[in-house]
Amino acid sequence: MKSPKDYIIFPLDVASGEEAKRYVTMLAGVVGMFKVGLELFIRSGPEIVTFIHSAGPAGVFLDLKLHDIPATVSRAMAGVAALGVRLATVHCGENRRMLEAAVAGGGRVGVLGVTVLTSVSAQDIAAAGFGAELAADLPRLVLRRARMAQQAGCAGVVCSGLEAGAIKAEFGAGFVTVTPGIRPLWAVSGADDQQRVSTPAAAVKGGSDYLVIGRPIRDAKDPRAAARLIAAEIESAL
């Protein structure tokens, strides 16, 4: 059975492999997964994934957001699968073929389509050339991309907590939703580059399966205590 801590994905968005290992050692027993992003993977490579596996039961979410021609994405995902990670990301992008290639190459890896980054606002979408109907209605764009991911065979999507409920209603409980931009009430700050945020309790109630929570844990005086506090908030929402 999934425990409250298993909802928490801690992003290792730090400057060095050594700092990442310090957080892994510190938090391995109080979070469900560690997110390894592009910056850390470029610095440390597969070795950081191996270290996480050796540190305890927490899994690995490899967040490289692949976006390339289908053949390249398929081969890259085959390499990802060899690392034994649980989840990996690919941008939904412009066509379904790339997503299908990612699924075909990923084997047992849960492939997640990245819908719209939580740092992106409606103004950004309009500036990128999208039609007014999508720029004015980001959840509609997210749902459209989630449908493409579901049809391609992806395990789920990355979306904000504001859209998880609609995705669950449309595609069912088995379609995984991973939600970044999570801020506990005690950690909300005006200086934030995330535009579409949610609290842990609200995100879980809304249908999020996993919550990517970085700053509130990383910047706390006691990161382990902060992770446990967030797990308690999640438990209250279950």
Side-chain angles (χ1 to χ4, degrees):
M1 183 177 176
K2 192 175 177 183
S3 69
K5 75 174 179 63
D6 292 332
Y7 284 81
I8 302 173
I9 299 176
F10 180 75
L12 294 168
D13 297 333
V14 294
S16 70
E18 289 308 308
E19 189 176 3
K21 289 177 181 179
R22 184 172 68 84
Y23 277 108
V24 170
T25 301
M26 182 191 309
L27 298 171
V30 293
V31 302
M33 270 189 270
F34 290 100
K35 180 175 82 71
V36 175
L38 189 60
E39 180 183 5
L40 180 60
F41 197 73
I42 287 173
R43 290 179 184 274
S44 300
E47 190 266 338
I48 189 63
V49 175
T50 302
F51 182 84
I52 294 169
H53 286 152
S54 69
V60 177
F61 170 29
L62 191 58
D63 186 27
L64 301 183
K65 298 183 179 70
L66 301 178
H67 190 180
D68 211 312
I69 63 172
T72 297
V73 168
S74 180
R75 290 193 295 267
M77 283 300 301
V80 168
L83 297 176
V85 307
R86 290 189 197 172
L87 302 172
T89 52
V90 58
H91 271 292
C92 285
E94 300 78 23
N95 66 71
R96 200 170 101 180
R97 295 191 305 278
M98 182 178 68
L99 296 173
E100 291 172 339
V103 173
R108 294 184 178 182
V109 176
V111 177
L112 304 175
V114 177
T115 54
V116 177
L117 296 173
T118 52
S119 61
V120 172
S121 67
Q123 291 76 16
D124 295 326
I125 292 295
F130 285 78
E133 74 282 359
L134 293 179
D137 189 358
L138 282 184
R140 182 178 177 185
L141 176 58
V142 170
L143 199 63
R144 177 179 292 186
R145 288 183 167 177
R147 183 175 295 109
M148 182 168 63
Q150 191 265 346
Q151 290 172 346
C154 290
V157 292
V158 179
C159 65
S160 87
L162 306 178
E163 295 121 14
I167 288 171
K168 288 292 187 182
E170 181 76 16
F171 306 113
F175 194 63
V176 174
T177 51
V178 175
T179 302
I182 300 296
R183 301 287 185 266
L185 288 175
W186 48 266
V188 173
S189 168
D192 202 325
D193 60 3
Q194 300 282 22
Q195 298 291 323
R196 294 169 8 258
V197 301
S198 179
T199 66
V204 170
K205 286 179 180 177
S208 297
D209 295 296
Y210 297 100
L211 313 178
V212 181
I213 309 176
R215 293 173 196 170
I217 297 174
R218 187 178 64 245
D219 296 345
K221 290 183 179 179
D222 185 341
R224 284 178 64 85
R228 290 193 178 105
L229 189 60
I230 292 168
E233 184 176 339
I234 292 169
E235 186 172 24
S236 72
L238 296 176

